[in-house]
């Protein structure tokens, strides 16, 4: 009899737990279906080291908290020679980059509307040969997308502290250039670009140059440049295009072109 009574009490307890569980589930389901008025906001105090603002600021700058960049005042500009690329990359390895392409609308300048080949001739006059060109890349084989062919790049250091890259991804018949700078200048990139390249717009001085240009649409290589009198773009012999070997300007008989 005692064992039977103990078993009945155990079964009653189990039934009680099952009933309470079913009751809780039913009430929760009913409350979930009932429209609830919005609760009043509650101000939460968070420690300084756990600040949501700090987290948002860090996320917005690619994981690094950057202070607002001052208005750029450019005193000097120095171009990086091809032999100096490794030093540049090591020095600025931790930089998060921001990019500015061609600007449209009322804020556009001659840096957005001028033909890229004309800007290239002015860059040549001021800084000499580019830091990198399309033949300096690791591979010159076809099959890459158009965006993978960077025609030329000038790497600059302004005020001995601000790294910049000036890139032509579109070729000589495009307009403008792409400029990149540290992410802390993202909101001031148009101002920084204008300050850095003001000397190019104050003068019409141009210097002769020649580059290889690859057109992915037709899979054709060209010699393109400025011979001192006119701009030219003429087909190049593919056998002349060798990785690491830049073209030279034909001084004697000139460059044929339009």
């Amino acid at each position: 009899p005692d064992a039977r009574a103990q078993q009945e009490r155990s079964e009653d307890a189990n039934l009680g737990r099952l009933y309470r569980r079913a009751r809780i589930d039913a009430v929760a389901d009913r409350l979930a279906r009932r429209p609830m008025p919005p609760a009043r906001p509650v101000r939460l105090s968070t420690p300084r080291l756990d600040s949501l603002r700090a987290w948002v600021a860090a996320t917005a700058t690619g994981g690094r908290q950057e202070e607002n960049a001052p208005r750029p005042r450019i005193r000097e500009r120095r171009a990086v020679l091809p032999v100096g690329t490794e030093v540049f990359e090591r020095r600025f390895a931790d930089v998060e980059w921001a990019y500015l392409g061609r600007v449209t609308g009322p804020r556009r300048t001659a840096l957005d509307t001028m033909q890229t080949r004309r800007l290239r001739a002015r860059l040549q006059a001021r800084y000499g040969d580019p830091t990198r060109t399309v033949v300096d890349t690791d591979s010159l084989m076809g099959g890459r997308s158009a965006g993978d062919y960077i025609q030329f790049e000038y790497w600059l250091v302004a005020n001995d502290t601000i790294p910049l890259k000036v890139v032509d991804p579109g070729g000589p018949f495009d307009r403008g250039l792409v400029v990149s700078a540290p992410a802390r200048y993202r909101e001031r990139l148009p101002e920084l670009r204008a300050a850095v390249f003001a000397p190019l717009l104050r003068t019409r001085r141009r210097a002769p140059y020649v580059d290889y240009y690859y057109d992915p649409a037709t899979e054709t290589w060209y010699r393109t440049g400025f011979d001192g009198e006119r701009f030219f773009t003429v087909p190049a012999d593919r056998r002349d295009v060798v990785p690491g070997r830049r073209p030279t300007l034909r001084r004697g008989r000139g460059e044929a072109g339009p």
Side-chain angles (χ1 to χ4, degrees), residues 5-38:
Q6 184 176 0
Q7 181 179 1
E8 290 177 350
R9 287 195 298 271
S10 177
E11 291 176 353
D12 290 342
N14 289 335
L15 287 174
R17 283 195 293 271
L18 291 174
Y19 173 79
R20 286 194 298 273
R21 170 64 64 183
R23 173 67 177 170
I24 291 172
D25 291 343
V27 172
D29 183 68
R30 188 166 61 250
L31 291 176
R33 296 173 184 274
R34 180 188 303 174
M36 301 290 290

Side-chain angles (χ1 to χ4, degrees), residues 82-117:
V83 295
T85 55
E86 291 186 5
V87 174
F88 180 96
E89 289 176 331
R90 285 198 303 268
R91 180 181 177 187
F92 301 110
D94 296 331
V95 169
E96 299 285 345
W97 295 94
Y99 302 87
L100 178 66
R102 191 166 58 203
V103 177
T104 59
R107 299 185 65 184
R108 67 181 180 180
T109 69
L111 293 171
D112 305 300
T113 59
M114 187 179 296
Q115 277 193 329
T116 302
R117 60 183 181 178

